[in-house]
């Protein structure tokens, strides 16, 4: 019993500070990244905002997010970052003024699997 107690104490002294350091670095990384991104709902770990879109009509759920977050919304769908533009004026502004950083983005193979070449 004494060895079990010492093992628990040893593991907690090693893993607790390590966990705190990892959480602080994760929080710092998400805070610095959030300053540059459009507004959006809070992100859950691993699944992102997929739980916000559950239901029969995800496009209506996105439309319901517009009054709270505006016409441009940043979502994280799993590990994929997604920007949703919901108004023609915002889309025109984006494609006229801010399209260069997104011009050479990587398109996943799954998106081009059905396209004929």
């Amino acid at each position: 019993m004494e060895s079990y107690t010492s093992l628990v104490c040893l593991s907690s002294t090693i893993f607790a500070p390590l966990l705190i350091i990892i959480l602080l670095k994760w929080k710092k990384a998400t805070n610095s990244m959030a300053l540059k991104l459009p507004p959006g709902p809070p992100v859950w770990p691993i699944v992102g905002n997929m739980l916000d879109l559950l239901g029969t009509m995800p496009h209506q759920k996105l439309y319901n997010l517009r009054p709270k977050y505006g016409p441009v919304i940043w979502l994280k769908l799993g590990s994929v970052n997604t920007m949703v533009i919901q108004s023609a004026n915002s889309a025109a502004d984006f494609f006229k003024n801010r399209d260069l950083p997104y011009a050479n983005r990587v398109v996943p193979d799954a998106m081009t699997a059905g396209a004929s070449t």
Side-chain angles (χ1 to χ4, degrees), residues 94-95 97-104:
F94 175 77
F95 287 119
N97 302 325
R98 297 177 178 88
D99 64 338
L100 281 179
Y102 300 97
N104 63 353

Side-chain angles (χ1 to χ4, degrees), residues 25-97:
K25 288 194 178 273
W26 179 71
K27 183 178 178 185
K28 182 179 178 185
T30 56
N31 285 344
S32 66
M33 194 172 33
L35 297 175
K36 303 172 190 172
L37 300 175
V43 178
W44 288 88
I46 300 173
V47 295
N49 295 108
M50 287 194 288
L51 297 177
D52 295 328
L53 301 178
L54 282 178
T56 57
M57 307 224 180
H59 64 285
Q60 289 182 353
K61 301 234 181 199
L62 285 172
Y63 180 76
N64 293 336
L65 292 173
R66 184 177 178 179
K68 187 172 184 179
Y69 299 107
V72 179
I73 300 173
W74 188 262
L75 299 172
K76 189 167 178 114
L77 303 175
S79 63
V80 178
N81 293 321
T82 306
M83 183 169 41
V84 179
I85 302 176
Q86 297 186 359
S87 74
N89 291 336
S90 297
D93 178 53
F94 175 77
F95 287 119
K96 285 181 185 175
N97 302 325

